[in-house]
Every structure is written in structure tokens, then in C-alpha cells.
Amino acid sequence: MDKVIIANNLSLAYSNDDTIINKVNFSVDTGSFIFITGASGSGKSTLLKSLYGALKPIEGSLVVGGVELKSVSKKKLNFLRKHLGIVFQDYKLVKEWTIEKNIMLPLIINGYEKSVTQNQVDSLLKHVRLQHQAGKYPQELSGGEQQRVAMARALAHNPTVILADEPTGNLDDYSSQLIWNLLEGANEQLETTVIVVTHHIPETMKVEYKHYHIESGDIREVI
């Protein structure tokens, strides 16, 4: 099976004196579902940031979607990000834009035609049960609703890889289950690679998944 992510002797830090991830080796198969767990401050979010190029390796190699991220050009990084869907803990929705326009963002960036964009957004609004909120702004929605918008935005352009940082951390049960259903659906139906950083793996998961745990700068698969 093809590898969508390959890390060799990967070290990550925000300064050279404070190594958070230390010389780890791992790979992710294309189309797999991965959970990454670890205590607060263990480096889960740090690792996720490195996967979309927000933090460059200080040592070793990190290849995502065929792109080496240690010495990546801005052009190549922008190309890679067009194939990624990212779900942040704090949603990162554009406050001045409606819910509908927020979901459109990756489609606009990727140059989709207007009719295709509208059809995709309408479909996603139904999936996240927010079609009645399309014209509202993020601050008019609850936290759970905002995260559902963020998930729809991450899925809009049919990404190769979805990276989700605590996507259900502070959500009610209804919104949480919707998020997990969407991630499972993307993985099963579209063969999207899904990587989720979380404190807790839900017991209701229906897809096969791998579980990696970060501790003391190391990352190991939990069998």
C-alpha cells in the first residue's frame, strides 16, 4: 500500500533547546484512519502542525503527499495544502463571512466553477444539518455548530488527507457523533486518509483504525 506520510528520524521543536518530538519514525498508509493520543503537552498538536507545514522539522525527514516538508518552497507547500482538509480546535472560521461562504473557501482557492461550488456547499450543509443556518455568521452559532461548519469546510474540496485537532473536544453528543460520522464516511466512501489528534477514542467507531501514542517525545503504535 502507498504511504501518504513518511517520517524518518523526525524531530520537532519551537526552539532548539526544547525538543518536543525526538527522532521518531513512522508512516501512514494512504486511505487509513489514524488516532494520535497523548497527555496534554506531549506534542500531539505539534506533530499535526508539522504535517501541514506550519512547523518545519529541526532534524530528519517528513514527507507528506510526496512533498518533503523540511525544506519546502512556498509554492510546493501551497500545492500540498490544496490536498489537505484541516479541522482546528478553535474552528478558525472567517467571522465576516456567512456560514455558506466559509464552507466555500477551499473551493474558491482550488478554482472550482461557481455551479459546482454551490452544489457542493448545499450538499455539505445538509450533511452537517445546518442548511437553515447558511446565511448566518459564525458568532451567531453555538460551538458545536461552528465545528460542524469547520468540518464541512475541511471536506468541501474532497481532500486527500484530513487532519483534525481534537475535533470533538468541547462538543455536545449530537455534534460529536455528526463529526465522527462525517470522518468515517470520508474514510470509507472517498478513501480519504484521516488523522485525528484526540484525548479519547470513541467506542462507537465503525471503521478500522490505527492508534499511535506520544509519550516523552516518542511515538509508538498501540496494538
Side-chain angles (χ1 to χ4, degrees), residues 69-222:
L69 291 176
K70 188 173 183 183
S71 55
V72 67
S73 66
K74 190 172 181 180
K75 185 177 179 182
K76 275 221 165 173
L77 185 57
N78 287 338
F79 170 79
L80 172 65
R81 286 177 176 173
K82 285 184 177 184
H83 298 275
L84 302 178
I86 305 170
V87 185
F88 301 95
Q89 282 187 55
D90 55 354
Y91 321 136
K92 294 202 186 304
L93 300 176
V94 181
K95 292 179 182 177
E96 298 78 17
W97 288 8
T98 63
I99 298 315
E100 185 176 57
K101 193 171 179 185
N102 265 281
I103 297 171
M104 284 181 181
L105 180 60
L107 296 165
I108 294 167
I109 291 170
N110 281 272
Y112 280 71
E113 290 181 13
K114 209 168 185 179
S115 60
V116 175
T117 296
Q118 192 62 58
N119 288 339
Q120 182 77 331
V121 171
D122 290 345
S123 174
L124 283 163
L125 280 166
K126 285 180 186 173
H127 275 301
V128 296
R129 318 266 171 89
L130 288 174
Q131 57 266 51
H132 60 296
Q133 305 279 42
K136 290 192 175 180
Y137 292 85
Q139 58 270 27
E140 299 180 86
L141 273 59
S142 69
E145 289 172 328
Q146 288 186 58
Q147 187 62 304
R148 281 147 60 189
V149 174
M151 179 60 65
R153 180 184 61 188
L155 290 166
H157 57 303
N158 296 324
T160 306
V161 180
I162 292 175
L163 304 171
D165 193 358
E166 295 283 1
T168 62
N170 300 307
L171 304 190
D172 57 88
D173 290 344
Y174 176 78
S175 290
S176 293
Q177 195 55 56
L178 263 179
I179 297 292
W180 291 125
N181 289 346
L182 286 165
L183 289 170
E184 287 182 311
N187 178 248
E188 280 189 315
Q189 295 160 29
L190 304 175
E191 297 185 347
T192 308
T193 305
V194 178
I195 300 174
V196 180
V197 159
T198 186
H199 278 100
H200 175 68
I201 299 173
E203 296 175 2
T204 56
M205 294 300 294
K206 302 179 190 73
V207 297
E208 284 188 30
Y209 63 83
K210 286 188 176 182
H211 174 195
Y212 289 94
H213 188 76
I214 299 177
E215 188 174 356
S216 303
D218 194 18
I219 179 167
R220 295 192 180 279
E221 185 176 357
V222 179

Side-chain angles (χ1 to χ4, degrees), residues 7-115:
N8 285 315
N9 288 321
L10 173 67
S11 292
L12 301 171
Y14 294 100
S15 72
N16 288 332
D17 300 326
D18 184 24
T19 302
I20 298 169
I21 300 294
N22 188 27
K23 295 182 179 178
V24 300
N25 297 285
F26 67 92
S27 63
V28 174
D29 293 334
T30 300
S32 57
F33 200 116
I34 306 291
F35 282 108
I36 300 173
T37 61
S40 294
S42 62
K44 303 185 302 296
S45 294
T46 300
L47 179 61
L48 210 66
K49 282 181 182 178
S50 74
L51 297 178
Y52 60 85
L55 181 67
K56 286 190 177 182
I58 59 166
E59 190 178 339
S61 170
L62 177 61
V63 178
V64 178
V67 176
E68 170 58 76
L69 291 176
K70 188 173 183 183
S71 55
V72 67
S73 66
K74 190 172 181 180
K75 185 177 179 182
K76 275 221 165 173
L77 185 57
N78 287 338
F79 170 79
L80 172 65
R81 286 177 176 173
K82 285 184 177 184
H83 298 275
L84 302 178
I86 305 170
V87 185
F88 301 95
Q89 282 187 55
D90 55 354
Y91 321 136
K92 294 202 186 304
L93 300 176
V94 181
K95 292 179 182 177
E96 298 78 17
W97 288 8
T98 63
I99 298 315
E100 185 176 57
K101 193 171 179 185
N102 265 281
I103 297 171
M104 284 181 181
L105 180 60
L107 296 165
I108 294 167
I109 291 170
N110 281 272
Y112 280 71
E113 290 181 13
K114 209 168 185 179
S115 60

